Amino acid sequence: MKPRLGLFDSGVGGLTVLRRVLERHGQVPCLYLGDTARVPYGNRMPHEIRVIAKEVVQWLRDQQVTAVVMACNTTNALASDVAEAVAGRIPVVRLIEAAANMLSEERVGVLATPAAAASGAYGKQIEISRPGTMVIEQGCPAFVPLIETGQLSSEELYQAAREYLNPLLAAQVEAVVLGCTHYPLLEPILRQILPQDVRLIDPAIGVARELDVLLGSPTIPLGTSLSLTSTRFCVTANPEGFATRATPWLGERPQVELVSLQCPACAS
């Protein structure tokens, strides 16, 4: 069967993962779902996130994807087991493991949604991959709402970034994991605040590399223009708003469908 990746997030953040995948693997067929009716996930209770993961992965299975990419750190942290159970034999690719495998530093900070930070999932996975690493997980409740409303250069966003980075700076971290797929969009602001020698870790790069197992080694020349012709975009609310917010990060305005995730199986 020809590969077809199903990627999901609560909004535009997962587009950073989609972009990395397309940059590395070219026009692989993809289905991107933004669950915009329930954005942000990171401020929800764990049981809500687990229900959401069940609904989303079941919907992706119904669309006959051949692999699921959890392009959302919050569901990675709190519902990976749910996603894998619903996916069955379909492979599930996770951001947190990919990020942990990218690290070589001994002092690491993680910027994450409140739910993901509270779970301690990054610290646990990094301890498995690199025992003895010092990890500070910082919840960042203001980031996703500001990004989703397009406030990427606002003073409010800058002040929030400085507040969230202060504990990491005090701990003299050597690397900062962007523990939410929205956060690579903040790299210019984060670079203004962090010392130059602090490495920013984008888990999406690790995910794209891990997909080599399913998609084969990359053959895309560097500098090749991004193509969206093989990607279907779906959202659960406000497709026009999503398309507008997505355009700067994709280089063109995507065609976006409105879908419903409701299904009898998910209600049980």
Side-chain angles (χ1 to χ4, degrees):
M1 181 183 293
K2 189 175 181 180
R4 188 185 191 210
L5 302 181
L7 303 91
F8 74 91
D9 184 38
S10 61
V12 298
L15 295 175
T16 59
V17 182
L18 175 66
R19 186 177 184 92
R20 294 296 189 184
V21 171
L22 296 179
E23 286 173 346
R24 186 171 179 86
H25 294 286
Q27 294 190 47
V28 56
C30 293
L31 168 58
Y32 183 92
L33 174 68
D35 189 11
T36 45
R38 296 184 285 198
V39 65
Y41 286 170
N43 296 334
R44 293 181 177 274
M45 298 298 293
H47 74 274
E48 292 181 273
I49 293 164
R50 292 175 68 81
V51 169
I52 286 169
K54 181 178 180 181
E55 292 178 354
V56 168
V57 176
Q58 181 61 57
W59 185 84
L60 289 172
R61 279 201 63 179
D62 292 344
Q63 308 307 305
Q64 300 183 332
V65 301
T66 59
V68 172
V69 178
M70 300 183 74
C72 166
N73 284 270
T74 301
T75 53
N76 271 247
L78 294 163
S80 287
D81 58 330
V82 174
E84 290 180 344
V86 176
R89 295 183 180 181
I90 298 173
V92 176
V93 182
R94 297 180 295 272
L95 287 159
I96 293 177
E97 288 184 13
N101 292 336
M102 295 171 70
L103 290 168
S104 58
E105 292 79 4
E106 296 181 356
R107 304 175 69 84
V108 175
V110 179
L111 299 176
T113 66
S119 76
Y122 263 99
K124 294 169 187 173
Q125 185 61 51
I126 292 170
E127 178 62 25
I128 292 170
S129 301
R130 294 188 55 79
T133 303
M134 186 213 75
V135 180
I136 297 178
E137 298 182 69
Q138 174 66 49
C140 309
F143 277 170
V144 171
L146 289 170
I147 293 169
E148 284 288 330
T149 52
Q151 300 181 57
L152 290 172
S153 58
S154 68
E155 179 64 20
E156 184 179 358
L157 184 58
Y158 180 86
Q159 292 302 327
R162 179 165 290 281
E163 175 187 342
Y164 299 148
L165 287 172
N166 277 339
L168 279 58
L169 293 168
Q172 298 182 318
V173 298
E174 300 162 314
V176 174
V177 176
L178 303 174
C180 170
T181 52
H182 285 72
Y183 296 177
L185 308 181
L186 304 178
E187 185 169 347
I189 286 178
L190 300 178
R191 276 283 162 226
Q192 291 179 43
I193 302 170
L194 289 168
Q196 290 186 351
D197 59 348
V198 173
R199 190 162 70 107
L200 288 177
I201 307 295
D202 180 358
I205 295 174
V207 166
R209 292 172 182 165
E210 293 197 3
L211 284 169
D212 290 358
V213 175
L214 296 174
L215 304 176
S217 300
T219 57
I220 308 303
L222 290 175
T224 301
S225 298
L226 197 71
S227 173
L228 305 181
T229 57
S230 61
T231 302
R232 177 187 173 199
F233 295 90
C234 299
V235 295
T236 54
N238 191 12
E240 286 301 311
F242 178 90
T244 298
R245 294 190 298 276
T247 299
W249 307 108
L250 296 174
E252 62 180 274
R253 187 179 180 88
Q255 296 292 318
V256 183
E257 302 173 38
L258 181 65
V259 300
S260 171
L261 305 185
Q262 293 180 357
C263 64
C266 297
S268 59

